[in-house]
Amino acid sequence: MSTLRRPAGIAVGSWVRFRGQVRGVVAVATKTVTLTDSGGDPQVVTVAELIADADFAVVDSPVRMPLPAASLLETFPDRVVEKALWWEGHILEVLHGLPPDAGEDAVPRLEYGPDRSLTARQRANAAELTSLGHKVSASTVAHRRRRYQAEGVLGLADHRPVRKQNEFGSIDERIVTAMRQAIAQGVDSSTRNGAFVLWKTGEILKESADGQGVELPSERTLYRLLAKLTSGTHTFGTASNRRSKAHGATAPFGELPAFAPGEVMQIDSTPLDVLVLLDNGVTGRVELTAMIDVATRTLTAAVLRPSTKAVDASVLLARTVTPELMRPGWVGALKMSRSVLPHRRLLDLDERLAHAAARPVIVPEMIVCDHGKAFISRNFQSSCRFLQIDVQPTHKAAGFEKGHIESTLGSVATLFAQFLPGYTGRSADHRGRHLEREPLWSLLELQEYLDEWVVAKWQNRRHDGLRDPSHPGRMFTPNEKYATLVEICGYVPVALTGDDYVELLPADWRVVNDYGIRIKNRAYDSPELGPMRRRHSGVQAKRGLWEVHRDPYDVSRIWVRDHRGGSSWVQATWKHLNRAPMPFGDLAWNHVSHQLPGATETEIADAVADLLTRAHAGPEEADRPAKPAKASKRDRRVAARTKAAGPSTPAPRPEPTEPTAAEASDEPADDAEAEETLAEVIPLGLFDPREDPWRRT
């Protein structure tokens, strides 16, 4: 048999129209509703009778209160919770006639029956509690009932044990405001201690109009206030972290979505916490410049240099779009053909991957960088435009906007650098003693180890940021993530020629004279410069000068763009290359130039060659015969950094020259002439862009 259901909106406190009168609902049971009556006594009617009345309508229903925060009850002491639950049982019986633990067949007691009004029930409950030893009035029960209907069980609890206190206690708000101002003024200043902040707070109060007459609390109280206000601000930490925290974004952190390899990449440089043997006994730290792909966390390239230059960023960009070739001594397991990467399918698209190591080749679409000089330089910007790459600088002092590369550089320190001899730690407090006595690696050797570590360790290490969306418990390696995404997004090969590499080098503008081109007291010449001598290049914006590209780590040669001959490149060699066969850069040249002011070009070239020779020989023993003075510490350091920065790729032999009379004759020259005659000098390995620029030997 079907039964009528009580319509929603009828509850204790509601007003309904019934039989031509507006009546209040004082009690609601399963099948009956108790209404007020003008005659005085409440009237009990069935739900079916109430709804069937032709004049029935819900005139006004109390607004439903939001759900109470019942979870906050866990913050109260146990005795308070027990008392609140005790009160809840009595209030429920007042409201519904039955206690919460009543059985299914239980019926309300006479004093809580459906024919009794809410007021009568409250009086009955107060009398019952008083008889049990709890002195309670009917008004107290009514107050508890209203609190329960508004706040649930939480309204019945005693809030005194968990009463919220003022954030800063009884400290004057003007003192809090002044201390906040003192902390804010120190954001861009040098780091000071708490005593200065307290002193500055007092000065601000003296200068402010409303701070006159404010009595400062005890010093201990002020230090407690200072600890609360400086929490998480790095006020007494490093200045860089403090500025980054203060000037960072105030809106919720966002992240550029990256769903394809190369869609978003990040680049940065940092000092590597390792001492490197730059030359015989000369040690120093180097900088690590790296680029990471956000979508796959692939470390596409990592370069070690004594100091990061714009050309290093461009070389890093070139290595990113170039396969990492297998090196002699690397195990076969590091080959791309034996990795999870789809080598066979990629090889059909890019033949450069035939002998590649297991490191993906990723073409950047966007590079996020900071405002370092190497990354905002014209050379790096033009290189990105050449490869159609969008460069997105972060906000200043906002390192979190390129957090992926920041975290990666930190991981290199913990996963790689700390295992090397000469590890210095992240600060002077973490540095050991006598690190220079350890067997240190050279820069070139350390670069080789870093390249192998990236392929062997980093690309095969499971990354927390590469989780399967369907199965969050599973993590991918960078190679696995790349293999997954390349199936969806495809592969775009970029082949760079020798001319492309020259384009990545920094540019100068010079005039071509009869003797060639002069750059920092060095003269470069080539027979192919003949048509350019004393001629206007046609570039009006540069007053007819010719565009020259050069490698700052190799002063042996330059490349000149032939603006009138189809924009091809002409290579010019330094005239005195045979005097200093070892390649050296601007650092060594400028160092000797300052020591020999006004010296001729030949003298400077001989001095640089002698500096490198003496530095390479090392200090002389005291018991040996007297020899030319050894190089100073400054000379050895300059030579070491220059040697470390020199290129290691082989170069073609110099063109043969006409033999001298002594060489053409079968008779040997006399001893004096033999001592003065220079032996044939073969320059060390130099980069030749006309050959395959990516061939490694």
Side-chain angles (χ1 to χ4, degrees), residues 8 27 49 98 129 157 162 193 225 255 272 285 289 292 326 341 374 413 457 473 490 596 600 631 637 648 656 659 673:
E49 182 183 1
L98 293 173
L129 293 177
V162 293
N193 60 14
L225 174 63
E255 182 177 340
L272 190 67
R285 294 178 61 182
T289 305
I292 191 173
M326 289 290 295
L341 299 175
K457 176 64 176 180
L596 301 175
T600 64
R637 186 171 297 277
S648 59
E673 293 179 352

Side-chain angles (χ1 to χ4, degrees), residues 497-516:
T497 64
D499 290 345
D500 295 335
Y501 184 86
V502 175
E503 289 284 359
L504 294 177
L505 299 178
D508 290 324
W509 293 84
R510 293 290 188 271
V511 61
V512 181
N513 294 307
D514 291 334
Y515 55 83

Side-chain angles (χ1 to χ4, degrees), residues 579-601:
R579 289 183 176 270
M582 181 181 296
F584 54 88
D586 288 341
L587 181 61
W589 183 267
N590 294 336
H591 174 65
V592 177
S593 298
H594 292 317
Q595 290 185 343
L596 301 175
T600 64
E601 181 178 350

